[in-house]
Amino acid sequence: MVRWLAALMLVLAGAPALAQDAVLGAGDVIRVQVFGNPDLTLETRVSEGGSISYPLLGDVKVAGMNTATAEKRLAGMLETGGFVRNPQVNVTVVQLQSRQVSVLGAVHRPGRYPLESRRTLVDVLAVAGGINAEGGDTVQVLRTEGGKTTKTMVDLPSMMGAGTLEANSEILPGDVVYVERARKFYIYGEVQRPGVYRLERNMTVIQALTTGGGLTPRGTERGIRIKRRAEDGRVQVINAAHDDLVQPDDVVQVKESLF
């Protein structure tokens, strides 16, 4: 495992789990219970207007509150109205629909997750199980505000290698976090292990050759060629030097020695 990914996994392991401290909004499903009054137990969805319809009280505004604040409001209304003396109200979140983030791409558990409180990029990656073996160096954060979508690219090796988490920005409801898959290269011909491999940053031709297990007894380091697709779709054949950089989707061909 590359060093930056090992460091990131340590951070992910220490990331906090989501808790029942959500700010409620339209579409959320909550359960309200009053100790000693089972007839006042209710599971309901917060309306588009941000309210719930509660027995004895009618419409009660709860949007914008966390569960503790909603408990205090309901308890105060029950006591002020003379319905329950010193009520002990408990509000729990059953489904959090109003504040969600989509985590997609090369993570262990892609899907939509609730943002029950302030969460950063590392936090939501942890909730999605972390980056899987196919994950690359880059994460995209897509955000739509005012009808416009912006894309922020986060370079994980740079963030972890610098020893700071300045790029570990807060994730907002509605964001889409996409972990790009690692870029690949292909190597075939007279190498021990021809196949498809992860392209490491600044990988040279000789490093690619080592990744492929080195030469077979019949192989030669002279005359290595790279087949590379240009922007216009045409395939270029390049005579490669040992220090040339391998690019994504390059096909490295190692020839047989003539002697």
Side-chain angles (χ1 to χ4, degrees):
M1 181 180 292
V2 291
R3 188 173 300 173
W4 73 262
L5 187 54
L8 181 60
M9 293 308 295
L10 290 176
V11 175
L12 293 178
L18 297 180
Q20 286 272 1
D21 55 359
V23 175
L24 301 175
D28 294 342
V29 178
I30 62 174
R31 180 180 294 111
V32 183
Q33 296 172 297
V34 181
F35 180 74
N37 293 269
D39 54 322
L40 294 179
T41 296
L42 176 69
E43 186 171 306
T44 185
R45 186 180 299 275
V46 180
S47 71
E48 289 298 320
S51 300
I52 62 170
S53 181
Y54 193 72
L56 305 177
L57 303 180
D59 289 341
V60 180
K61 187 85 168 182
V62 295
M65 303 178 184
N66 59 24
T67 53
T69 304
E71 288 169 353
K72 291 179 180 178
R73 168 164 288 189
L74 289 164
M77 294 177 70
L78 287 170
E79 187 163 24
T80 300
F83 303 114
V84 181
R85 185 175 180 180
N86 192 27
Q88 299 179 40
V89 179
N90 179 254
V91 175
T92 56
V93 177
V94 178
Q95 293 181 357
L96 194 63
Q97 300 292 333
S98 62
R99 296 171 55 85
Q100 292 195 330
V101 58
S102 297
V103 188
L104 306 173
V107 293
H108 286 286
R109 295 190 300 272
R112 300 188 70 198
Y113 294 93
L115 291 174
E116 298 182 343
S117 64
R118 184 182 182 275
R119 298 297 176 213
T120 66
L121 174 60
V122 167
D123 291 337
V124 300
L125 288 176
V127 172
I131 299 170
N132 64 29
E134 294 295 316
D137 293 345
T138 307
V139 176
Q140 299 180 26
V141 179
L142 304 175
R143 178 169 298 163
T144 301
E145 294 179 311
K148 296 183 178 180
T149 300
T150 59
K151 179 171 67 174
T152 302
M153 306 294 291
V154 179
D155 187 301
L156 294 176
S158 296
M159 183 177 76
M160 302 308 300
T164 63
L165 295 179
E166 294 179 1
N168 186 30
S169 58
E170 182 178 0
I171 299 300
L172 302 180
D175 283 356
V176 176
V177 175
Y178 179 78
V179 179
E180 295 186 351
R181 298 191 182 279
R183 295 181 174 184
K184 306 287 186 180
F185 75 95
Y186 305 79
I187 188 167
Y188 75 104
E190 296 301 325
V191 289
Q192 299 286 349
R193 297 191 301 271
V196 185
Y197 293 94
R198 179 190 181 102
L199 178 64
E200 301 295 346
R201 187 166 296 194
N202 298 322
M203 176 178 277
T204 63
V205 169
I206 197 67
Q207 289 172 333
L209 183 62
T210 302
T211 301
L215 298 174
T216 68
R218 296 182 299 178
T220 176
E221 293 181 5
R222 296 190 299 272
I224 295 176
R225 298 195 302 176
I226 292 177
K227 295 180 180 180
R228 179 175 297 161
R229 190 172 297 278
E231 292 184 0
D232 61 5
R234 296 181 181 179
V235 176
Q236 303 171 327
V237 179
I238 303 168
N239 293 320
H242 289 176
D243 293 334
D244 286 349
L245 295 180
V246 181
Q247 296 184 12
D249 299 322
D250 275 358
V251 179
V252 181
Q253 179 187 13
V254 180
K255 293 183 177 180
E256 181 180 357
S257 175
L258 299 178
F259 304 99

